[in-house]
Amino acid sequence: DPVAYFTESRAVPGRKDITALHNGVRYLFSSVENRDLFDRHPKMYLPAYGGYCAWAASQGYIAGVDPEAWTVLNGRLFLNFSRGVRRRFQNDLEANIAAADRNWPRLRSEI
């Protein structure tokens, strides 16, 4: 549930019966209220870099994520491959985010 990172400050599994489709991606939510928040403001809740690992994006490649390895900063949700990778990402958040933002247009085109 991408909204729960913001409203509950934790990873919460979504339910298969409470979903929303955005840009061809199906998102699961833990509650109808969270789904409705997402439907009203999807850009506010979408994970950065298409939900792929933010550290990997900063390094110029794509990797999956562990939903428990996350960071919210300045209203953006960043997911990471693992908690260890999250620590690396958080070591220099501003530089890593800037690098990932630069790399993302190319990486997105490769997916």
Side-chain angles (χ1 to χ4, degrees):
D1 181 340
V3 174
Y5 290 104
F6 296 90
T7 60
E8 297 184 41
S9 299
R10 64 186 182 104
V12 177
R15 294 175 28 184
K16 291 179 183 176
D17 63 328
I18 306 174
T19 66
L21 193 63
H22 181 75
N23 290 337
V25 177
R26 185 171 69 116
Y27 293 90
L28 281 64
F29 300 90
S30 58
S31 69
V32 171
E33 294 80 13
N34 281 6
R35 185 206 48 215
D36 292 348
L37 280 171
F38 181 86
D39 281 342
R40 284 194 298 275
H41 306 285
K43 288 183 180 182
M44 182 182 296
Y45 299 108
L46 288 171
Y49 319 120
Y52 292 99
C53 177
W55 166 257
S58 76
Q59 301 303 300
Y61 65 95
I62 296 287
V65 298
D66 172 354
E68 296 291 334
W70 60 279
T71 303
V72 170
L73 180 68
N74 298 328
R76 291 178 74 188
L77 171 61
F78 302 95
L79 301 173
N80 288 115
F81 176 78
S82 68
R83 290 177 186 182
V85 168
R86 178 184 62 191
R87 281 190 293 277
R88 275 194 221 162
F89 180 68
Q90 290 176 334
N91 235 8
D92 192 352
L93 274 171
E94 290 185 19
N96 289 326
I97 291 168
D101 287 348
R102 281 191 307 275
N103 291 335
W104 182 240
R106 177 185 56 80
L107 294 171
R108 182 178 52 223
S109 73
E110 296 174 3
I111 300 171

